[in-house]
Amino acid sequence: MTKDKVIRNILDIETHQKAWRQKCRRNLVLYEFTPDIDLVSQNDNVSVGFYNNGNAENTSMIQENVIRSCIDTLGSKIASQKVTPFFNTVNGTFREIQVVKAAQQFFDILYDELNVNKTVVQAFVDSCITDRGIIYVNRDNKNIERIQPWQFFFDPKEYAYGQLTHCSFKKTDYPTSLLTDKTDLKTVTLHEYWNIKEHIHATYIEELNKVTTEKWDANILPFAILRWSNPIKASSSTCVVDLLFGIQKQINYLLTQIKSASRSSFGIKYLTPTDSDIKVNRLNNSNGEVIEYTPQMTTNGAIPVQPITPAFMDAQWFTALQQFKQDAYEMVGISQLSAMSQKPKGLNSGVGLQTMEDIESDRFETQLNSVIRVYVDIAKICMEVFDPLEPILPSSIYRGHITWKDITEARNLMSIQFSSLDKISKDP
């Protein structure tokens, strides 16, 4: 493949997801509660959480961010489900049984050392925000990384028909200190491109107009995609932020009105008759609002000064606020008590708490199955992309020398099963 064709293919697939990237920015702004987030720059020109939506007068400083509350709760539920691989042989020989045992040991160590559980949970949170999470199996440094979803590009038409043949990984503001090329630039835009039909892996640096290629022997792309919900059409689907967008906007509006009403109302009001002997100009307006009125005289006479504390807003505003928050949790499928790490009143037995936890977990069975499937995909990608001549475990006198090639050759005679575990048992 020529240099011009590589560049043309990279630029072509990166033009497919402009509308989706705009959705990513909108959803990330809502999740982080920071309006000036930029997806392109990797600098900290805008510090997340420092500039918030409450700086203007027509917004609220109060953060009732039910979007983040729901997503963080979902992430914690997925994180509590530890997933581990189980390798089994299918009528295997002694040699194949030894290979399977080595594979089992290696992936137990690999997933623990690289903290793959944390990486997958981060990708799951990304899928809640942007509808997809991307995990990259880096062959160069033997690492499993979560990458920002808007940095990964593919052809949505290929995705719709179930097979990706090429993809691109765009790194903006990539520091030149990490490159081997000599340049005076501080940062560059780096594109990595994979094509399993042409069997190439290419690197394209825009500012230097340089393309380097190498052979890609694997018949699989080094990326695993985790979804909150499977797309019905093409490659885009709804996510948690999309579901709660309208409710969050309405909550922000109610909080703004509550803020305005509380600021425009004094904590106490003083009612003073107009014909009283009280000098109104001597009352302190900083502690309350002085209201003069013409009283209807009674036999007992008018009260000179009457302090009152009226409500600054009708109670139905606060009722509506609580109802919208409850609706948000119900739409996602979690309880408000679960988001606050509280148990229902009267539920004190361990069996009762476990039953409630099981009922809530059933709601996320589809998402949990997607997470488990990602662990399987990661294992398969590792088998395909890692150097077949390298040993899968460090050398030791207590075990044989088994390489990735041995595992690849035994693939047809083994099955890979992944299952979530409880916090005590290591059995599926």
Side-chain angles (χ1 to χ4, degrees), residues 130-149:
T130 67
D131 83 34
R132 70 192 64 160
I134 310 298
I135 298 173
Y136 171 41
V137 179
N138 193 330
R139 182 171 67 176
D140 296 333
N141 57 12
K142 301 295 186 295
N143 197 14
I144 299 173
E145 310 166 0
R146 164 260 178 190
I147 68 172
Q148 296 170 347

Side-chain angles (χ1 to χ4, degrees), residues 34-92:
T34 304
D36 299 326
I37 291 178
D38 182 14
L39 297 183
V40 178
S41 175
Q42 300 296 332
N43 296 323
D44 286 333
N45 296 330
V46 177
S47 181
V48 173
F50 182 69
Y51 304 98
N52 56 48
N53 288 319
N55 289 333
E57 284 297 324
N58 59 347
T59 59
S60 174
M61 290 290 290
I62 305 173
Q63 294 190 30
E64 291 282 355
N65 196 343
V66 295
I67 288 179
R68 179 150 197 162
S69 176
C70 289
I71 292 177
D72 290 349
T73 302
L74 293 173
S76 66
K77 286 183 173 293
I78 293 298
S80 65
Q81 301 293 328
K82 308 301 181 183
V83 181
T84 187
F86 296 93
F87 293 83
N88 298 305
T89 59
V90 181
N91 298 326

Side-chain angles (χ1 to χ4, degrees), residues 219-290:
N219 293 319
I220 191 172
L221 298 174
F223 295 93
I225 302 177
L226 176 58
R227 291 284 191 172
W228 162 258
S229 62
N230 293 324
I232 298 177
K233 179 180 179 294
S235 64
S236 181
S237 63
T238 56
C239 57
V240 175
V241 181
D242 297 332
L243 293 176
L244 303 182
F245 175 77
I247 290 181
Q248 184 64 61
K249 286 295 184 182
Q250 189 64 24
I251 289 176
N252 293 343
Y253 170 76
L254 292 176
L255 291 173
T256 301
Q257 298 303 313
I258 291 174
K259 183 198 75 171
S260 300
S262 63
R263 286 188 174 183
S264 61
S265 176
F266 287 93
I268 189 170
K269 299 179 185 292
Y270 298 103
L271 302 181
T272 305
T274 54
D275 57 350
S276 66
D277 295 333
I278 302 297
K279 300 296 183 181
V280 176
N281 57 359
R282 298 189 63 181
L283 295 176
N284 190 352
N285 260 336
S286 63
N287 294 328
E289 183 181 6
V290 178

Side-chain angles (χ1 to χ4, degrees), residues 261-376:
S262 63
R263 286 188 174 183
S264 61
S265 176
F266 287 93
I268 189 170
K269 299 179 185 292
Y270 298 103
L271 302 181
T272 305
T274 54
D275 57 350
S276 66
D277 295 333
I278 302 297
K279 300 296 183 181
V280 176
N281 57 359
R282 298 189 63 181
L283 295 176
N284 190 352
N285 260 336
S286 63
N287 294 328
E289 183 181 6
V290 178
I291 300 175
E292 291 188 273
Y293 71 101
T294 302
Q296 184 177 0
M297 299 301 296
T298 63
T299 55
N300 297 328
I303 300 176
V305 178
Q306 181 181 359
I308 61 174
T309 55
F312 66 86
M313 180 171 279
D314 191 86
Q316 66 180 349
W317 288 79
F318 301 95
T319 303
L321 178 62
Q322 293 300 322
Q323 184 60 49
F324 279 121
K325 291 168 62 177
Q326 182 65 32
D327 291 344
Y329 292 116
E330 290 178 355
M331 285 184 64
V332 178
I334 60 177
S335 66
Q336 193 169 3
L337 293 175
S338 178
M340 296 185 295
S341 298
Q342 295 180 0
K343 68 179 182 64
K345 292 182 179 180
L347 190 62
N348 299 317
S349 69
V351 175
L353 291 173
Q354 184 64 43
T355 303
M356 176 188 170
E357 183 71 21
D358 292 340
I359 292 174
E360 285 196 354
S361 299
D362 289 343
R363 170 65 174 79
F364 311 109
E365 192 67 27
T366 302
Q367 284 74 30
L368 179 58
N369 289 336
S370 298
V371 170
I372 293 174
R373 188 67 214 177
V374 164
Y375 282 92
V376 177

